[in-house]
Amino acid sequence: MARRRATRPGQQTAAARVPGGPAAGVPRRPWRPSDWRRTAYPALLLDHVAPGNVCGELVRLIGDVRTETGRNDPLLIVVSGGQPPPELPEPHPLTEADEAYDEWAEALPEMRRLRRPAAWLVALRPDETDAGPPSRGGMRPFSAPDPPWWSRRFLPAALCLVLLAAGGVWVGSRWGRGCHPSLTGGRVSVEVVGSGECVGYSDTAAQVFNNDPGQDGLRTIQRRIFAQNRAAEEVWQRSDRRRPFLTLVYLGTLTGNRTRADEESYVSEREELEGMATAQYALLKESAGADGAALLRIVVANGGRQMSYADRAVAMLAELARDDPTVLGVVGLVESRTSTARALRELNRVGLPVLAPTLSADKMDANSRLYLQISAPNADQVKMVDAYAQQVLKVDEAHVFYTTLEGSSLSEDLYVNTLVDGLRQRFGARITRLDEWRTGQRLTGECGYPGLLFYAGRWTEFDGFLRALRECGANPPQHLVADDSANRYMANPGLRAAAPGNLPVTYVSKAALATCAALRAAAQDRRDDARASFLSWIQADDLLDPPRCRPGSERQVGERVSLAYDAAMMLIRAVESLAARLHHADPRQRWEPTSVNPVGVHAEVLRQNAGQGYPGVAGLIRFTPDSGEPVDKRLALMRVEQVPDVATAPVEVFRCGVADASTPAACGPA
């Protein structure tokens, strides 16, 4: 080390900076890499330091302050003098300045730990023969090292670009247009899956599922539910939180179907959401003073096409249930498939009860101890079809055609699988033809067939099945009967328009008691408050679009509306019953969501059901203690003389099961 320039005795000079640390008084800020460009310790050179002079006194004072405070003070003081004060380190000859610096740098950490007063001092002794300033030409030039590459000024911009690109890739893989978290609040958790479907849940209009053309009805009912969610929250707050407040999840298949721009492809899902919205609406119409009447929030969840991504949706719902104690159950699931069974098992593990409005594959309850089915199982449907064939049609022989949705096998489709198996067992040798039907297959062999021609497949192929029978012309099969899945086809006017007009169709209905005609008849009977109230709700101006069952209107109510309404109301009445017992001593006590849990609500549903059963709009619902399938649930066969005639309501021609507690279980003509 050498002096930068000559000084007079006692003069203080700012020397070159010594590499090794941050600039004095300037802390490093990680978010500003440019700070790392100034990574050198400042140095102070004091010449002619001797006992008692100004420079010697300055060095002593600096050492005292450093020893007393112990603070980091990265100023290296280089002193030079013929007779330095005795408290300074042993001086090195000026010619050994480099060695002196190396020794100091090596000893610095230990001296700082021991808080030595000379930790930041290097003492040099000039050569006695040196009578003047050294020759500048003989000095070794000094310069600080180059700053590290990552302190360059381009780094912040480059880092931002990299982070933005990585974030864009991550967001693009997780979310997309019409599928993103809510920035305005609400319960929303969604992601884009491999097929491009938006899977997850939402309770706010910031995330509405399905932007496909022709699905306006599905989007409209979601927005109605989300608006009623806000209304329910407001009513709860105005009631000083005294009314019971619960959240139910609707889990369905809201995306993934191939559909034309003029075709409504999600009739079942739309109708089930309408049923839950009707239950929500009914609770909002309760008197402001009815502290025991519950309020309902609905979370809409999508499990993807054929419930293929139900596991992801259920994982999200599990997190929601852990965070929100008002989540007490799940309604929906739409189709009986192996993916649905997996979702049931996972929901059972999570501890959420499931009430399924339309699932009917046999033994679905084996997948969850918390599962309750609103519709009769396939075994009951097979029994009714057999009774109809023998009592009304007077035929013994049957041809059965079954289908599964494209991309799905018979083993995966539990609904079709158990239905076909039940027909095979019950009819036995009376089935003279049992075939899988594929789109494009001709059915001319069925023209004029006098026996029972039973369609045991999914509604998506029923349109093609009817088109194939068009070749029969004036000689169609005499007795065409379809399973309850065909109800989804019959609820779609756009599809029915292309069906042959001379082909009557009889199909299974799970909610014949909730048709407009049946509801109007019930409204005239003042003893049937459940159906009368349901009719008034679906006729209201501010609920369904358009309102249903109004005098002179052709718009019928879909059968899944009443089934989903019954499912939601069963859970709601159970919560109200638990709340009444909890608040028996003080009815005006605030509702505490953690006072009940989902498993307890399921147990209360069964307790209430143990007597006469639940008087649902679509028929009496009764369970046995060891089964989630209903007993003697009402089923019917509806007949349409001309399929394209959507203005004429179907007519009930046969029924099984019980309508209410006062009627016996029997099968017979309507």
Side-chain angles (χ1 to χ4, degrees):
M1 180 181 296
R3 294 177 294 175
R4 298 296 300 268
R5 61 186 177 90
T7 59
R8 293 187 299 270
Q11 182 180 0
Q12 305 175 49
T13 305
R17 309 179 82 164
V18 180
V26 183
R28 288 175 179 157
R29 289 160 289 190
W31 59 90
R32 292 188 61 180
S34 61
D35 287 349
W36 292 83
R37 297 177 63 84
R38 297 182 289 274
T39 54
Y41 293 134
L44 175 65
L45 174 61
L46 298 178
D47 259 351
H48 303 286
V49 177
N53 70 1
V54 174
C55 290
E57 187 65 17
L58 175 62
V59 171
R60 185 188 66 78
L61 291 174
I62 291 175
D64 291 344
V65 171
R66 282 173 163 169
T67 301
E68 181 178 351
T69 63
R71 298 182 61 184
N72 182 32
D73 180 15
L75 173 65
L76 174 62
I77 301 176
V78 181
V79 300
S80 175
Q83 295 179 340
E87 63 269 16
L88 295 185
E90 182 67 25
H92 290 72
L94 184 61
T95 56
E96 299 177 4
D98 288 339
E99 291 80 355
Y101 173 79
D102 292 339
E103 290 181 10
W104 168 79
E106 183 179 354
L108 177 63
E110 180 68 12
M111 290 192 294
R112 289 186 60 188
R113 187 182 68 82
L114 297 175
R115 298 177 69 175
R116 296 284 176 81
W120 289 87
L121 282 171
V122 173
L124 300 176
R125 183 179 66 250
D127 191 341
E128 294 180 355
T129 63
D130 187 7
S135 172
R136 297 189 61 83
M139 294 176 59
R140 182 168 61 86
F142 172 81
S143 61
D146 292 335
W149 66 268
W150 37 261
S151 68
R152 306 295 183 182
R153 293 179 180 177
F154 74 87
L155 182 65
L159 184 60
C160 288
L161 290 175
V162 170
L163 291 176
L164 286 173
V169 171
W170 183 78
V171 168
S173 65
R174 184 175 178 87
W175 299 306
R177 182 176 179 271
C179 184
H180 49 75
S182 172
L183 301 178
T184 58
R187 292 160 180 79
V188 179
S189 179
V190 291
E191 65 178 55
V192 176
V193 296
S195 61
E197 297 180 64
C198 186
V199 170
Y201 65 81
S202 170
D203 76 339
T204 173
Q207 173 60 55
V208 175
F209 292 101
N210 200 311
N211 293 317
D212 293 345
Q215 312 314 312
D216 295 337
L218 182 63
R219 293 188 289 270
T220 296
I221 192 57
Q222 290 182 72
R223 294 190 180 98
R224 167 56 59 186
I225 285 173
F226 298 148
Q228 292 185 164
N229 282 346
R230 296 194 302 271
E233 184 78 28
E234 293 170 359
V235 171
W236 190 48
Q237 297 293 344
R238 288 201 302 270
S239 74
D240 197 27
R241 300 190 176 187
R242 289 193 297 270
R243 293 178 64 172
F245 191 90
L246 71 150
T247 299
L248 295 181
V249 177
Y250 174 79
L251 177 57
T253 58
L254 303 175
T255 56
N257 292 347
R258 292 182 298 178
T259 178
R260 300 194 311 266
D262 60 344
E263 176 187 348
E264 184 181 9
S265 186
Y266 301 87
V267 175
S268 289
E269 294 79 5
R270 189 253 303 159
E271 289 182 356
E272 290 181 356
L273 285 170
E274 287 176 344
M276 294 189 70
T278 303
Q280 187 182 39
Y281 180 86
L283 297 174
L284 287 170
K285 293 301 179 181
E286 292 280 358
S287 168
D291 291 336
L295 290 164
L296 174 62
R297 174 172 53 220
I298 298 173
V299 172
V300 179
N302 179 31
R305 183 175 183 263
Q306 298 181 21
M307 298 294 288
S308 299
Y309 303 100
D311 53 345
R312 298 196 189 185
V314 170
M316 297 180 195
L317 293 174
E319 294 182 6
L320 174 65
R322 284 193 294 267
D323 297 338
D324 185 356
T326 69
V327 178
L328 297 178
V330 176
V331 175
L333 278 75
V334 186
E335 294 184 343
S336 303
R337 298 184 179 276
T338 52
S339 55
T340 308
R342 288 194 301 270
L344 282 175
R345 292 192 290 271
E346 186 62 20
L347 287 167
N348 180 74
R349 188 191 65 80
V350 172
L352 284 176
V354 177
L355 270 71
T358 60
L359 296 189
S360 59
D362 296 328
K363 305 303 180 183
M364 285 297 288
D365 58 333
N367 295 287
S368 172
R369 296 179 294 102
L370 303 176
Y371 172 78
L372 295 174
Q373 188 171 292
I374 304 302
S375 297
N378 279 350
D380 290 359
Q381 182 174 169
V382 170
K383 177 183 175 182
M384 180 181 67
V385 171
D386 185 25
Y388 177 68
Q390 295 190 56
Q391 296 181 29
V392 177
L393 302 182
K394 307 295 184 181
V395 297
D396 289 328
E397 186 179 306
H399 287 178
V400 175
F401 289 90
Y402 66 89
T403 69
T404 58
L405 196 63
E406 183 179 349
S408 175
S409 66
L410 184 60
S411 60
E412 294 172 331
D413 194 329
L414 300 179
Y415 169 77
V416 176
N417 192 330
T418 59
L419 181 58
V420 171
D421 189 58
L423 289 165
R424 185 186 292 111
Q425 292 184 28
R426 188 167 188 92
F427 280 76
R430 288 182 291 157
I431 298 181
T432 57
R433 184 175 183 182
L434 177 60
D435 290 335
E436 181 178 8
W437 183 82
R438 295 289 185 181
T439 300
Q441 179 181 340
R442 301 182 68 186
L443 292 171
T444 53
E446 303 304 312
C447 297
Y449 176 62
L452 171 68
L453 176 59
F454 189 73
Y455 177 83
R458 290 290 182 179
W459 71 277
T460 46
E461 282 78 35
F462 190 56
D463 179 55
F465 189 81
L466 293 181
R467 289 173 182 266
L469 291 174
R470 177 181 289 177
E471 287 191 73
C472 294
N475 187 33
Q478 297 181 21
H479 306 298
L480 174 59
V481 179
D483 59 20
D484 69 275
S485 181
N487 187 283
R488 299 180 69 173
Y489 170 86
M490 301 304 295
N492 195 318
L495 292 178
R496 290 175 59 176
N502 63 334
L503 180 63
V505 174
T506 303
Y507 62 93
V508 177
S509 171
K510 297 173 177 175
L513 292 172
T515 62
C516 291
L519 291 172
R520 293 191 188 101
Q524 297 175 0
D525 184 356
R526 297 183 178 180
R527 295 174 299 176
D528 198 339
D529 292 335
R531 292 188 182 89
S533 297
F534 179 76
L535 177 62
S536 67
W537 303 140
I538 63 175
Q539 289 178 331
D541 291 325
D542 54 346
L543 177 58
L544 304 182
D545 183 20
R548 312 294 155 78
C549 298
R550 284 188 169 180
S553 172
E554 297 180 357
R555 190 59 185 261
Q556 301 294 313
V557 58
E559 70 170 34
R560 290 165 178 79
V561 179
S562 60
L563 294 168
Y565 174 86
D566 287 344
M569 292 305 294
M570 286 181 70
L571 287 168
I572 291 165
R573 296 311 180 207
V575 172
E576 290 176 342
S577 176
L578 292 172
R581 277 183 275 168
L582 290 168
H583 297 169
H584 178 71
D586 183 7
R588 298 184 65 80
Q589 180 181 349
R590 277 191 170 191
W591 170 252
E592 177 54 53
T594 57
S595 60
V596 299
N597 61 71
V599 176
V601 172
H602 174 265
E604 180 62 18
V605 171
L606 292 179
R607 190 196 68 80
Q608 292 183 354
N609 190 267
Q612 296 293 319
Y614 179 79
V617 172
L620 186 69
I621 304 172
R622 296 182 300 181
F623 300 101
T624 60
D626 58 346
S627 174
E629 294 180 344
V631 178
D632 294 325
K633 182 65 194 295
R634 186 68 143 74
L635 283 172
L637 284 167
M638 311 296 291
R639 184 174 177 84
V640 173
E641 295 298 332
Q642 294 188 1
V643 178
D645 184 8
V646 296
T648 303
V651 177
E652 182 179 346
V653 295
F654 200 79
R655 82 289 181 273
C656 288
V658 297
D660 53 53
S662 64
T663 58
C667 291

